[in-house]
Amino acid sequence: MTFDLTRRLCAEALGTFFLVMAVVGSGIMAAKLAGGNEALALLCNMVSVGAVLFVIITIFISISGAHFNPAVSLAMLLRGALPAGEALPYMFMQILGGCLGAIVAHLMFGLEPVQLAQTARTGAGQWLGEFIATFGLVATIIGCVRFNLAAIPSAVGLYISSAYWFTSSTSFANPAVTIGRAITDTYSGIAPAHVPAFLIAQLVGAAAAVVILGWLLKPGSDAQEN
């Protein structure tokens, strides 16, 4: 079944809305309930985000492809799976949905709708963490598209849940999520001045995954030539 562009864009906005709302809302709840235990707060945040990724991808993958992430849309554009004329609208709606998700999370918890984050997240280690996180996410998606399409919801949810813990940045891996987190001065926030470097690392990581996985998954000719 093919859905028109308007429905696909709405699906992208709605899915990213729930993703960022889960990131911000569970971060607020975790900070309230964890009693200052940072490991417990991160664990609570991770569980919520991993779970919502599984659900929203399952719901929307047959409508829009369930990107919910400009880095993923860039990867699909580079692979020829997303028309050039649709890539920017996809990215715009993802960012819009993400910002609305942060705002609604604030409203649910009685906070100011829009805030400027104060949390510093910068430095070469965190930029490398974002490169790795996004590279791995895009590689996960490309591999599942190639070998097991039905595994995408669980694989993406599991990868991001794991990357929360093994990356120095706690795995934003998503420009729309990063921008949404810049307007929340809560547990999951990132200072706006530190956003551009994260975005660059994420987009470079996505492009690198397209190049490397494109080569890796292409049938080789060495054995035939030998």
Side-chain angles (χ1 to χ4, degrees), residues 91-140:
M91 295 176 186
F92 174 79
M93 294 302 287
Q94 292 156 0
I95 293 169
L96 177 61
C99 290
L100 290 175
I103 290 169
V104 171
H106 293 157
L107 294 175
M108 286 194 295
F109 286 92
L111 304 176
E112 288 295 319
V114 177
Q115 311 165 5
L116 290 182
Q118 303 298 315
T119 304
R121 299 181 190 267
T122 189
Q126 295 215 37
W127 303 334
L128 178 59
E130 279 305 291
F131 173 88
I132 293 296
T134 314
F135 180 97
L137 173 62
V138 172
T140 297

Side-chain angles (χ1 to χ4, degrees), residues 12-24 48 52 56 60 97-98 101:
E12 285 297 304
L14 189 57
T16 317
F17 168 83
F18 274 101
L19 173 57
V20 176
M21 188 164 53
V23 171
V24 175
S48 177
V52 83
I56 60 177
F60 294 115

Side-chain angles (χ1 to χ4, degrees), residues 41-65:
L42 184 63
L43 178 63
C44 294
N45 194 219
M46 176 215 77
V47 170
S48 177
V49 174
V52 83
L53 275 168
F54 176 86
V55 173
I56 60 177
I57 294 172
T58 299
I59 293 171
F60 294 115
I61 191 169
S62 296
I63 301 176
S64 66

Side-chain angles (χ1 to χ4, degrees), residues 139-215:
T140 297
I141 293 168
I142 293 174
C144 287
V145 168
R146 176 70 170 78
F147 295 113
N148 189 352
L149 191 64
I152 290 178
S154 55
V156 170
L158 288 170
Y159 175 79
I160 291 297
S161 296
S162 176
Y164 253 76
W165 293 92
F166 73 73
T167 63
S168 56
S169 60
T170 65
S171 184
F172 287 43
N174 184 331
V177 169
T178 305
I179 292 169
R181 291 172 71 158
I183 61 170
T184 178
D185 192 23
T186 61
Y187 176 82
S188 58
I190 174 173
H194 299 158
V195 166
F198 266 51
L199 301 186
I200 292 169
Q202 291 159 0
L203 295 176
V204 172
V210 170
V211 172
I212 293 175
L213 268 292
W215 169 80

